[in-house]
Amino acid sequence: MPQIDALRRFLLPALLVLLLAAWLGGGVTQDDTPIDEWLQLLALPLLPVAAVVLLAELPDDRYRRSGIAVALLIAAVPLLQLLPMAAAGWNLPPGRGGLAADLRQAGVDAFPMRWTLSPHATEGALWSLMPALAAFFAAMALEAGHRRRLVQAIVVLVLFNVAFAFFQTGLPQGSQLRLYQDFDAGFGGLLVNPNHQATACIIGMVLAVGLAVEARGRVERGETRPHMPWWYAGLAGCLLLMVPLSTARAGMPIAFASLALVLVLTGVLRPGRIGRSRRATALALALAVMAIVGVRVAIGWVAVDQAEELRHTMAVATVVAGERQAPLGSGVGSFVQVFEQSAPPALHLRRYVNHAHNEYAQWWLEAGWPGMLALAFALAVLALCGWRIASLRIRNGHAALAAGGFVAICAVLAHSWADYPLRTITLMTTTAALAGLVLATLQDAQSREKSRRRIRHELARAARLAHEPESP
């Protein structure tokens, strides 16, 4: 249909504009800022256009259908929490009895009962999902030829943020050119939290590896210049070297693990060739050394965190608070208020705690059992995608881009165990776009592999018939 084709061509430039805006203005960790509202308005037209394109050609594969179900489940959690409920259901979590008693003592006998304890915060959290949902559906509906452009654009945005971080760190304190005047963002660049710069560099690194493998396949077909794979490989190496500059202690262990995983999934390192190929053996030894270094760094990081920082303490306190708000959850976006009321004395700090520094613990507190079920389904779909990528016989072409996107998502989820990268619009929107790209690309790779198997089967059948003697 010409109208659908025109809408599909609109998706890539609109998605790139949304990603650029998310990187320029979505790097703060404060919830519900005026910039967030502008980003939501910018995503508003992209979401229905992507939905129309997907509905016109309703996906018949399990990957995209499962992805759509995951996105709808995640959005349904805050939406359901805004619904009114009876007093018996509202009082079901054990932590709400004391709150109701405090309200009665304050003279508040009647108040609107909803699943969430903070309807305003939950409504804001629901709206904050719009850029990510728009990016997810738009990436899923992109033309196959536009997916490489999307990956290239994300790598360019990461590189721009690294260059901007160098510019910012070179400015003197108090300079009017500093993006954040109230505090030192370190090597974060556009991202207010420098730990998130480590996540961004890891995303760019694994995507660059995927682009290098994809470019190697295009070189073999004569579609691009021979030096392009080496350019992408050099970018991946440079971004790996940028991770320590973020000072994120979890950065290097995650970076080493992500690099090893993407090399295996893209077929650069085939485990079966270790010991039989010098290159494969040398690469495996290098990865083993990096793995040892990464494990030692991770052990030291955990020891320092437990001795000198409060991340572990905050995560444990959040889990305990979540048990008192189960099974409903306190409401998506209500963490600050609920944590202040339930935190142990050791966490009564002069500055408020904005996040739990463990995304899974915070999601448990805010979303309760419905949120954990949605999370489990999302992780199951991700595991299915990883298994499918690992089982592909041909891993160049767009399959390499899917492998890079898959590893980037895994890196974000791994860092979410010790931080909150998905609580920034920048990384949430970028990760959502990569998730949509992975699901769409996997389906195309599977279809091409089935077509190749059918062609090989037909050729083999024709060869057998040609060698069979004719009956008299």
Side-chain angles (χ1 to χ4, degrees):
M1 296 176 62
Q3 298 86 350
I4 298 300
D5 292 338
L7 291 176
R8 193 186 297 273
R9 288 192 295 270
F10 163 80
L11 289 176
L12 179 63
L15 178 55
L16 295 183
V17 170
L18 176 61
L19 284 172
L20 176 61
W23 275 83
L24 291 177
V28 298
T29 57
Q30 182 181 356
D31 296 333
D32 200 15
T33 66
I35 296 179
D36 292 348
E37 296 175 1
W38 283 106
L39 291 174
Q40 294 158 19
L41 290 174
L42 186 61
L44 190 59
L46 180 58
L47 187 58
V49 170
V52 168
V53 174
L54 287 174
L55 288 175
E57 301 174 0
L58 190 63
D60 58 354
D61 59 283
R62 58 181 177 178
Y63 299 106
R64 286 185 290 181
R65 286 191 173 184
S66 299
I68 292 172
V70 168
L72 295 179
L73 278 176
I74 293 174
V77 172
L79 187 62
L80 289 174
Q81 289 180 334
L82 291 172
L83 297 177
M85 64 187 318
W90 190 90
N91 287 300
L92 187 60
R96 299 194 178 187
L99 176 60
D102 292 342
L103 289 174
R104 286 193 297 269
Q105 187 175 0
V108 181
D109 296 323
F111 54 92
M113 292 185 177
R114 306 186 185 213
W115 284 35
T116 174
L117 296 177
S118 180
H120 176 73
T122 301
E123 183 180 353
L126 177 62
W127 284 108
S128 69
L129 292 175
M130 185 171 292
L133 290 174
F136 174 75
F137 288 120
M140 192 184 297
L142 281 179
E143 296 179 359
H146 288 171
R147 292 169 192 158
R148 184 175 71 253
R149 300 300 183 192
L150 173 60
V151 177
Q152 290 171 334
I154 293 175
V155 174
V156 169
L157 288 171
V158 173
L159 291 172
F160 171 78
N161 192 48
V162 169
F164 186 72
F166 275 112
F167 169 71
Q168 289 284 288
T169 53
L171 294 174
Q173 293 290 341
S175 173
Q176 295 299 318
L177 295 178
R178 280 187 171 269
L179 181 61
Y180 302 108
Q181 296 288 337
D182 298 335
F183 52 89
D184 185 8
F187 195 68
L190 296 167
L191 301 170
V192 68
N193 189 335
N195 292 336
H196 299 164
Q197 177 74 296
T199 307
C201 289
I202 295 171
I203 290 174
M205 177 191 69
V206 296
L207 293 182
V209 172
L211 286 169
V213 176
E214 191 266 349
R216 186 178 64 181
R218 289 190 292 123
V219 168
E220 295 173 354
R221 297 189 298 269
E223 298 175 359
T224 189
R225 294 183 292 275
H227 64 271
M228 288 305 296
W230 295 105
W231 275 107
Y232 287 126
L235 288 177
C238 290
L239 289 171
L240 175 62
L241 296 176
M242 295 300 106
V243 175
L245 298 181
S246 69
T247 67
R249 288 194 295 273
M252 289 310 293
I254 296 174
F256 288 149
S258 300
L259 180 60
L261 183 58
V262 75
L263 290 177
V264 171
L265 291 181
T266 55
V268 176
L269 175 63
R270 296 183 181 272
R273 301 191 64 184
I274 298 176
R276 296 187 297 173
S277 168
R278 291 183 178 179
R279 193 193 70 165
T281 304
L283 187 56
L285 289 175
L287 290 175
V289 171
M290 288 192 293
I292 295 172
V293 174
V295 169
R296 291 185 63 87
V297 171
I299 293 173
W301 165 62
V302 172
V304 171
D305 179 65
Q306 293 182 350
E308 300 180 7
E309 291 196 357
L310 297 174
R311 294 174 186 265
H312 179 72
T313 306
M314 285 190 291
V316 172
T318 303
V319 172
V320 174
E323 293 173 354
R324 293 186 56 79
Q325 296 297 332
L328 303 179
S330 63
V332 180
S334 65
F335 172 82
V336 173
Q337 300 90 337
V338 175
F339 189 82
E340 284 182 346
Q341 295 177 356
S342 59
L347 293 176
H348 291 170
L349 309 175
R350 288 183 295 177
R351 301 183 65 179
Y352 76 95
V353 179
N354 59 345
H355 294 290
H357 292 77
N358 184 310
E359 185 60 40
Y360 305 96
Q362 183 166 340
W363 187 244
W364 158 244
L365 168 61
E366 294 182 341
W369 284 112
M372 299 310 291
L373 290 176
L375 174 62
F377 187 36
L379 294 177
V381 173
L382 183 66
L384 176 65
C385 292
W387 176 260
R388 185 59 194 148
I389 292 172
S391 62
L392 288 175
R393 295 176 60 87
I394 300 176
R395 301 185 190 178
N396 56 13
H398 284 182
L401 302 182
F406 169 79
V407 178
I409 297 169
C410 292
V412 174
L413 294 178
H415 206 180
S416 296
W417 187 261
D419 214 289
Y420 47 93
L422 290 175
R423 295 285 170 166
T424 62
I425 299 295
T426 299
L427 294 179
M428 180 170 61
T429 305
T430 302
T431 305
L434 290 174
L437 180 141
V438 169
L439 292 169
T441 305
L442 267 183
Q443 170 58 22
D444 291 349
Q446 185 178 21
S447 299
R448 285 193 296 268
E449 194 165 277
K450 287 182 178 179
S451 177
R452 291 189 182 97
R453 283 201 300 265
R454 184 168 56 251
I455 292 173
R456 287 197 299 268
H457 177 73
E458 291 176 356
L459 290 175
R461 183 171 177 273
R464 287 195 304 269
L465 292 177
H467 287 84
E468 290 179 359
E470 296 183 0
S471 58

